[in-house]
Amino acid sequence: MRLVLLFSLLLVCHAKPYKRINVMELMKLHDIMQQDNDNNIDDDDSDEDDDDDDDDNFITDCPFGCQCFRRVVQCSDLGLTSVPRDIPADTIMIDLQNNDITEIKEDDFKNLDNLYALFLVNNRISKIHPKAFQNMDKLRLLYLSYNLLTRVPENLPKNVFELRIHDNKISRIQKGAFRGMQSLHVLEMSANPIANSGIELGAFDDMATLYLRIAEAKLTAVPKDLPSSLTELHLDYNKIAKVEVEDLIRYKNLKRLGLGFNQIKFVEDGSLANIPKIREIHLDNNWLKKVPPGLNTLKYLQVLYLHENSISSVAVNDFCPSRTKTKKLLYTGISLFANPVRYWQIQPATFRCASGHRALQLGNNRRK
């Protein structure tokens, strides 16, 4: 459940222009506050003692201008040009978003071995020292979005499970950029000028991630050799022209695929057979002229977006298998609106494996 909430918050936070991250909400999401409270519970405390505890929660050696409370150091919106010195060693979360920091130096986070979350969003960071994140074995959240990075930072902490580096200037992903990151749940790299030629062979070697998003980039094809562990892949708002069999052959566990807002003209027959566990496919706002082949073989597919294409006809077996029992899950959403198909000519049996008429979004052809 927590992972689902994490994905939802990730999608909400990714929006232009920069939207401030609610640090306290993230702390609740990851139970950090509760964990901290559990370490200080005393059943015999009186109300007076509770008041004293509240006073103790404020950190007296807080960096100048920052606010510090319960091992959280908040230094956002201060116009800082560098990371503050003398951050308490027991800090678990640092908020440095919306400043003017240009560089992360080797010793900026030295001795912060308990750090769980680090937010450097919306600064002017163009350089990060290769040893800046050393000894951060407990770091789980690393947000570097809305900066001026031109490459993936070196020696990223291995135990991070959410890494956000979208809205930078990254045009190349070097070989081994994410080496050893086997705990990564979410990797958000959208809104970087990444082309297929900028992804070096072996860029994703020796890593595992569940959610990967490279939207709003310069991709003209589905990248090769992405992590085989993927359960969600989002490549929206690129210039991908087609989907071939070899594009999806590695991703047997994929459950959600986002290819909306591309230039896809066709999906090669057999491509979708490589993702048998898929539950949601977004192919809206493309250049498709017919329903992609193979949809009727996907037993678990529930949501399918095909609106805003050039589909002119729909066959009775495009979506559903000939034998109803082979479909494990019914469709809960099929969108076909804004296509030149005459929806009143579609045979009712075409949607025999849908959960009901409310699952269908048809409508007549809308002019673009």
Coordinates of all heavy atoms in Angstrom, one line a residue, residues 189-242:
M189 N 13.2 10.4 -14.4 CA 14.2 11.1 -15.2 C 13.6 12.0 -16.3 O 14.3 12.3 -17.3 CB 15.2 10.1 -15.9 CG 15.9 9.2 -14.9 SD 17.2 8.2 -15.7 CE 18.3 9.4 -16.3
S190 N 12.3 12.3 -16.2 CA 11.7 13.0 -17.3 C 12.2 14.4 -17.4 O 12.9 15.0 -16.6 CB 10.2 13.1 -17.0 OG 9.6 11.8 -16.9
A191 N 11.8 15.0 -18.6 CA 12.2 16.4 -18.9 C 13.7 16.7 -18.9 O 14.2 17.7 -18.4 CB 11.5 17.4 -17.9
N192 N 14.4 15.7 -19.4 CA 15.8 15.8 -19.7 C 16.0 15.6 -21.2 O 15.3 14.8 -21.8 CB 16.7 14.8 -18.9 CG 16.9 15.2 -17.4 OD1 17.6 16.1 -17.1 ND2 16.2 14.5 -16.5
P193 N 17.0 16.2 -21.8 CA 17.2 16.1 -23.3 C 17.9 14.8 -23.6 O 18.9 14.8 -24.3 CB 18.0 17.3 -23.6 CG 18.8 17.6 -22.4 CD 17.9 17.3 -21.2
I194 N 17.3 13.7 -23.2 CA 17.9 12.4 -23.4 C 17.4 11.8 -24.7 O 16.2 11.6 -24.9 CB 17.5 11.4 -22.3 CG1 18.0 12.0 -20.9 CG2 18.1 10.0 -22.5 CD1 17.5 11.2 -19.7
A195 N 18.3 11.5 -25.6 CA 18.0 10.8 -26.9 C 18.5 9.3 -26.8 O 19.2 9.0 -25.9 CB 18.7 11.5 -28.1
N196 N 18.0 8.5 -27.7 CA 18.4 7.1 -27.6 C 20.0 7.0 -27.7 O 20.6 6.1 -27.0 CB 17.8 6.3 -28.7 CG 16.3 6.1 -28.5 OD1 15.5 7.0 -28.9 ND2 15.9 5.0 -28.0
S197 N 20.6 7.8 -28.5 CA 22.1 7.7 -28.6 C 22.8 8.2 -27.4 O 24.0 7.9 -27.2 CB 22.5 8.6 -29.8 OG 22.1 10.0 -29.6
G198 N 22.1 8.9 -26.5 CA 22.7 9.3 -25.2 C 22.6 8.3 -24.1 O 23.2 8.5 -23.0
I199 N 22.0 7.2 -24.4 CA 22.0 6.1 -23.3 C 23.0 5.1 -23.7 O 22.9 4.3 -24.7 CB 20.6 5.4 -23.3 CG1 19.5 6.5 -23.0 CG2 20.5 4.3 -22.2 CD1 18.1 5.9 -23.0
E200 N 24.1 5.1 -23.0 CA 25.2 4.2 -23.3 C 24.9 2.7 -23.0 O 24.1 2.4 -22.1 CB 26.5 4.6 -22.5 CG 27.1 5.9 -22.8 CD 28.3 6.2 -22.1 OE1 28.8 5.3 -21.3 OE2 28.9 7.3 -22.2
L201 N 25.5 1.8 -23.7 CA 25.3 0.4 -23.5 C 25.7 0.0 -22.1 O 26.9 0.3 -21.7 CB 26.0 -0.4 -24.6 CG 25.8 -1.9 -24.5 CD1 24.4 -2.3 -24.9 CD2 26.8 -2.6 -25.5
G202 N 24.9 -0.6 -21.3 CA 25.2 -0.9 -20.0 C 24.9 0.1 -19.0 O 25.2 0.1 -17.8
A203 N 24.1 1.2 -19.4 CA 23.7 2.3 -18.5 C 22.9 1.8 -17.3 O 23.0 2.3 -16.2 CB 23.0 3.3 -19.2
F204 N 22.1 0.7 -17.5 CA 21.2 0.2 -16.5 C 21.7 -1.2 -15.9 O 20.9 -1.8 -15.3 CB 19.8 0.1 -17.0 CG 19.2 1.5 -17.3 CD1 19.2 1.9 -18.7 CD2 18.7 2.3 -16.4 CE1 18.7 3.2 -19.0 CE2 18.1 3.5 -16.7 CZ 18.2 4.0 -18.0
D205 N 22.9 -1.5 -16.2 CA 23.4 -2.8 -15.8 C 23.5 -2.9 -14.2 O 23.8 -1.8 -13.6 CB 24.9 -3.1 -16.3 CG 24.8 -3.5 -17.8 OD1 23.7 -3.7 -18.3 OD2 25.9 -3.7 -18.4
D206 N 23.3 -4.0 -13.7 CA 23.4 -4.3 -12.3 C 22.5 -3.4 -11.4 O 23.0 -2.9 -10.4 CB 24.9 -4.1 -11.8 CG 25.1 -4.6 -10.4 OD1 24.5 -5.6 -10.0 OD2 26.0 -4.0 -9.7
M207 N 21.3 -3.1 -11.9 CA 20.4 -2.3 -11.1 C 19.0 -2.9 -11.2 O 18.7 -3.7 -12.1 CB 20.4 -0.9 -11.5 CG 19.6 -0.6 -12.8 SD 19.1 1.1 -13.1 CE 17.9 1.3 -11.8
A208 N 18.2 -2.6 -10.3 CA 16.8 -3.1 -10.3 C 15.9 -1.9 -9.9 O 16.2 -1.2 -9.0 CB 16.5 -4.2 -9.4
T209 N 14.8 -1.7 -10.7 CA 13.8 -0.7 -10.3 C 12.5 -1.1 -10.8 O 12.3 -1.9 -11.7 CB 14.2 0.7 -10.9 OG1 13.3 1.7 -10.4 CG2 14.1 0.7 -12.4
L210 N 11.4 -0.6 -10.1 CA 10.1 -1.0 -10.4 C 9.4 0.0 -11.3 O 8.7 -0.3 -12.2 CB 9.3 -1.2 -9.1 CG 9.8 -2.2 -8.1 CD1 8.9 -2.2 -6.9 CD2 9.9 -3.6 -8.7
Y211 N 9.7 1.3 -11.1 CA 9.0 2.4 -11.8 C 10.1 3.2 -12.5 O 11.0 3.8 -11.8 CB 8.2 3.2 -10.8 CG 7.5 4.4 -11.4 CD1 6.2 4.5 -11.5 CD2 8.3 5.6 -11.7 CE1 5.5 5.6 -12.0 CE2 7.6 6.7 -12.2 CZ 6.3 6.7 -12.3 OH 5.6 7.9 -12.8
L212 N 10.0 3.4 -13.8 CA 10.9 4.2 -14.5 C 10.1 5.1 -15.5 O 9.2 4.7 -16.2 CB 11.8 3.3 -15.4 CG 12.8 4.1 -16.4 CD1 13.7 5.0 -15.6 CD2 13.6 3.1 -17.2
R213 N 10.4 6.4 -15.4 CA 9.8 7.4 -16.3 C 10.8 8.3 -17.0 O 11.6 8.9 -16.3 CB 8.8 8.3 -15.4 CG 7.9 9.1 -16.3 CD 6.7 9.7 -15.5 NE 5.7 10.3 -16.3 CZ 5.6 11.7 -16.4 NH1 6.4 12.5 -15.7 NH2 4.7 12.2 -17.2
I214 N 10.8 8.2 -18.3 CA 11.6 9.1 -19.1 C 10.7 9.8 -20.1 O 10.8 9.6 -21.3 CB 12.7 8.3 -19.8 CG1 13.5 7.4 -18.9 CG2 13.8 9.3 -20.4 CD1 14.6 6.6 -19.5
A215 N 9.8 10.6 -19.6 CA 8.9 11.3 -20.5 C 9.5 12.7 -20.8 O 10.5 13.1 -20.2 CB 7.6 11.5 -19.7
E216 N 8.9 13.3 -21.8 CA 9.3 14.7 -22.2 C 10.8 14.7 -22.5 O 11.5 15.7 -22.2 CB 9.0 15.7 -21.1 CG 7.5 15.7 -20.7 CD 7.3 16.6 -19.5 OE1 7.5 17.8 -19.6 OE2 6.9 16.1 -18.5
A217 N 11.3 13.7 -23.2 CA 12.7 13.7 -23.6 C 12.8 13.7 -25.1 O 12.0 14.3 -25.8 CB 13.4 12.4 -23.0
K218 N 13.9 13.1 -25.7 CA 14.1 13.1 -27.1 C 14.2 11.7 -27.7 O 14.9 11.5 -28.7 CB 15.3 13.9 -27.5 CG 15.2 15.4 -27.1 CD 16.5 16.2 -27.6 CE 16.3 17.7 -27.3 NZ 17.5 18.5 -27.8
L219 N 13.4 10.8 -27.1 CA 13.5 9.4 -27.5 C 12.7 9.2 -28.8 O 11.6 9.7 -29.0 CB 12.9 8.5 -26.5 CG 13.6 8.5 -25.1 CD1 12.9 7.7 -24.1 CD2 15.1 8.1 -25.2
T220 N 13.3 8.5 -29.8 CA 12.6 8.2 -31.0 C 12.3 6.7 -31.1 O 11.7 6.2 -32.1 CB 13.5 8.5 -32.2 OG1 14.8 7.9 -32.1 CG2 13.7 10.0 -32.3
A221 N 12.7 5.9 -30.1 CA 12.3 4.5 -30.0 C 12.4 4.1 -28.5 O 12.9 4.8 -27.7 CB 13.4 3.7 -30.8
V222 N 11.7 3.0 -28.2 CA 11.8 2.4 -26.9 C 13.2 2.1 -26.6 O 13.8 1.3 -27.3 CB 10.9 1.2 -26.7 CG1 11.0 0.6 -25.3 CG2 9.4 1.6 -27.0
P223 N 13.8 2.6 -25.5 CA 15.2 2.3 -25.2 C 15.5 0.8 -25.0 O 14.6 0.1 -24.4 CB 15.5 3.1 -23.9 CG 14.5 4.2 -23.9 CD 13.3 3.6 -24.5
K224 N 16.6 0.3 -25.4 CA 17.0 -1.1 -25.2 C 17.7 -1.3 -23.8 O 18.3 -0.4 -23.2 CB 17.9 -1.5 -26.3 CG 17.4 -1.3 -27.7 CD 16.2 -2.3 -27.9 CE 15.7 -2.3 -29.4 NZ 15.2 -1.0 -29.8
D225 N 17.5 -2.5 -23.3 CA 18.3 -2.9 -22.1 C 17.9 -2.1 -20.9 O 18.8 -1.8 -20.0 CB 19.8 -2.8 -22.3 CG 20.2 -3.7 -23.4 OD1 19.6 -4.8 -23.6 OD2 21.2 -3.4 -24.2
L226 N 16.7 -1.7 -20.7 CA 16.2 -1.1 -19.5 C 16.1 -2.2 -18.4 O 16.1 -3.4 -18.8 CB 14.8 -0.5 -19.7 CG 14.8 0.7 -20.6 CD1 13.3 1.2 -20.8 CD2 15.7 1.8 -20.2
P227 N 16.0 -1.9 -17.2 CA 16.0 -3.0 -16.1 C 14.8 -4.0 -16.4 O 13.7 -3.6 -16.6 CB 15.8 -2.2 -14.8 CG 16.3 -0.9 -15.1 CD 16.0 -0.6 -16.5
S228 N 15.1 -5.3 -16.3 CA 14.1 -6.3 -16.6 C 13.1 -6.4 -15.4 O 12.1 -7.1 -15.5 CB 14.8 -7.6 -16.8 OG 15.6 -8.0 -15.7
S229 N 13.5 -5.8 -14.3 CA 12.6 -5.8 -13.1 C 11.4 -4.9 -13.2 O 10.5 -4.9 -12.3 CB 13.4 -5.4 -11.9 OG 14.0 -4.1 -12.1
L230 N 11.3 -4.1 -14.2 CA 10.3 -3.0 -14.3 C 8.9 -3.6 -14.2 O 8.5 -4.6 -14.9 CB 10.4 -2.3 -15.6 CG 11.6 -1.3 -15.8 CD1 11.7 -0.7 -17.2 CD2 11.4 -0.1 -14.8
T231 N 8.0 -2.9 -13.4 CA 6.6 -3.1 -13.4 C 5.8 -2.0 -14.0 O 4.7 -2.1 -14.4 CB 6.1 -3.4 -12.0 OG1 6.4 -2.3 -11.1 CG2 6.7 -4.6 -11.4
E232 N 6.5 -0.8 -14.1 CA 5.9 0.4 -14.7 C 7.0 1.1 -15.5 O 8.1 1.4 -15.1 CB 5.4 1.4 -13.7 CG 4.2 0.9 -12.9 CD 3.4 2.0 -12.3 OE1 3.3 3.1 -12.9 OE2 2.8 1.8 -11.2
L233 N 6.6 1.4 -16.8 CA 7.5 2.1 -17.7 C 6.7 3.2 -18.4 O 5.7 2.9 -19.0 CB 8.0 1.1 -18.8 CG 8.9 1.8 -19.9 CD1 10.1 2.5 -19.3 CD2 9.3 0.7 -20.9
H234 N 7.1 4.4 -18.3 CA 6.4 5.6 -18.8 C 7.4 6.4 -19.7 O 8.4 6.9 -19.3 CB 5.9 6.5 -17.7 CG 4.9 5.8 -16.8 ND1 3.6 5.8 -17.0 CD2 5.1 5.1 -15.7 CE1 2.9 5.1 -16.1 NE2 3.9 4.7 -15.2
L235 N 7.0 6.4 -21.0 CA 7.8 7.1 -22.0 C 7.0 8.1 -22.8 O 7.1 8.3 -24.0 CB 8.4 6.1 -23.0 CG 9.3 5.0 -22.4 CD1 9.7 3.9 -23.4 CD2 10.5 5.6 -21.8
D236 N 6.0 8.7 -22.1 CA 5.1 9.7 -22.7 C 5.8 10.9 -23.2 O 6.9 11.3 -22.8 CB 4.0 10.1 -21.7 CG 3.4 8.9 -21.0 OD1 2.5 8.3 -21.5 OD2 4.0 8.6 -19.9
Y237 N 5.2 11.6 -24.2 CA 5.7 12.9 -24.7 C 7.1 12.8 -25.2 O 8.0 13.5 -24.9 CB 5.7 14.0 -23.6 CG 4.3 14.4 -23.2 CD1 3.7 13.8 -22.1 CD2 3.6 15.4 -23.9 CE1 2.4 14.1 -21.7 CE2 2.3 15.7 -23.5 CZ 1.7 15.1 -22.4 OH 0.4 15.5 -22.0
N238 N 7.3 11.8 -26.1 CA 8.6 11.6 -26.8 C 8.3 11.6 -28.3 O 7.2 12.1 -28.7 CB 9.3 10.4 -26.4 CG 10.1 10.5 -25.1 OD1 11.1 11.2 -25.1 ND2 9.6 10.0 -24.0
K239 N 9.1 11.1 -29.1 CA 8.9 11.0 -30.6 C 9.1 9.6 -31.1 O 9.6 9.4 -32.2 CB 9.9 12.0 -31.3 CG 9.6 13.5 -31.0 CD 10.6 14.4 -31.8 CE 10.3 15.8 -31.4 NZ 11.2 16.8 -32.2
I240 N 8.6 8.7 -30.3 CA 8.7 7.3 -30.6 C 7.7 7.0 -31.8 O 6.6 7.4 -31.7 CB 8.3 6.4 -29.4 CG1 9.3 6.6 -28.3 CG2 8.3 4.9 -29.8 CD1 9.0 6.0 -27.0
A241 N 8.2 6.3 -32.8 CA 7.5 6.1 -34.1 C 6.8 4.8 -34.2 O 5.8 4.6 -34.9 CB 8.4 6.4 -35.3
K242 N 7.3 3.8 -33.5 CA 6.8 2.4 -33.6 C 7.2 1.6 -32.4 O 8.1 1.9 -31.7 CB 7.3 1.8 -34.9 CG 8.8 1.7 -35.0 CD 9.2 1.1 -36.4 CE 10.8 1.1 -36.5 NZ 11.2 0.6 -37.8

